[in-house]
């Protein structure tokens, strides 16, 4: 007879695995409630890419676990904003990437600058704020 690991225990094990892999990153790992009670939600700021975290999280869903899936949400924090600003400054000197409050700015990048950053955009300019999400998604900030 197969024994399944309950969602709450799977969440604890997932958090331990994330701590072991990324000891300097603080993760919030919670079992969802209500109709999504067999889902786990992982949230964190900056740190590794969400793909890297999702690879670990996926090991705790299905098969031996009573977990339907794991939702990973990576949020941009001060280190992420600074890293994006540095990337923007490298390809678009003179473009203000951060406003005076430290938030990502609405300054625009040309399509050429966006391409150099690896950002997909329509044929017109794109704001730093909109481009930042694509740049941030590829940045591994575990060494910051």
């Amino acid at each position: 007879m197969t024994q399944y690991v309950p969602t709450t225990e799977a969440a604890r094990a997932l958090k331990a695995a994330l701590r072991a892999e990324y000891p300097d990153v603080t993760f919030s790992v919670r079992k969802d409630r209500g109709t999504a009670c067999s889902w786990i939600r992982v949230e964190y700021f900056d740190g590794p890419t969400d793909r890297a975290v999702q690879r670990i999280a996926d090991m705790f869903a299905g098969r031996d676990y009573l977990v339907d899936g794991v939702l990973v949400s990576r949020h941009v924090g001060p280190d992420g904003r600074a890293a994006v600003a540095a990337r923007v400054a490298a390809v678009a000197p003179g473009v203000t990437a951060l406003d005076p409050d430290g938030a990502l700015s609405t300054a625009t990048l040309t399509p050429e600058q966006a391409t150099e950053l690896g950002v997909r955009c329509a044929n017109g300019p794109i704001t730093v704020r909109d481009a930042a999400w694509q740049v941030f998604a590829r940045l591994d900030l575990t060494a910051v």
Side-chain angles (χ1 to χ4, degrees):
M1 179 173 197
T2 304
Q3 292 231 328
Y4 294 101
V5 176
T7 308
T8 304
E9 289 180 34
R12 275 193 220 111
L14 171 55
K15 187 165 189 169
L18 290 170
R19 277 187 184 155
E21 186 71 25
Y22 303 107
D24 296 330
V25 179
T26 301
F27 292 94
S28 169
V29 180
R30 301 278 185 259
K31 176 184 151 195
D32 270 353
R33 296 190 166 142
T35 58
C37 66
S38 59
W39 282 78
I40 297 173
R41 182 175 304 278
V42 175
E43 295 189 38
Y44 64 105
F45 284 87
D46 300 330
T49 65
D50 57 350
R51 283 184 178 180
V53 172
Q54 190 70 58
R55 275 194 301 275
I56 295 169
D58 286 345
M59 293 187 292
F60 293 86
R63 252 184 36 188
D64 298 330
Y65 298 94
L66 292 174
V67 177
D68 288 335
V70 181
L71 302 171
V72 174
S73 297
R74 181 186 187 205
H75 304 287
V76 63
D79 291 340
R81 284 191 294 276
V84 169
R87 293 280 173 107
V88 169
V91 301
V95 172
T96 303
L98 298 175
D99 67 21
D101 296 325
L104 292 163
S105 79
T106 56
T108 57
L109 300 168
T110 66
E112 295 78 22
Q113 292 167 329
T115 299
E116 193 170 340
L117 281 169
V119 172
R120 292 187 195 135
C121 64
N123 293 331
I126 185 171
T127 67
V128 170
R129 185 180 297 154
D130 291 340
W133 295 113
Q134 293 179 52
V135 172
F136 180 67
R138 294 188 312 273
L139 291 176
D140 182 346
L141 298 172
T142 55
V144 174

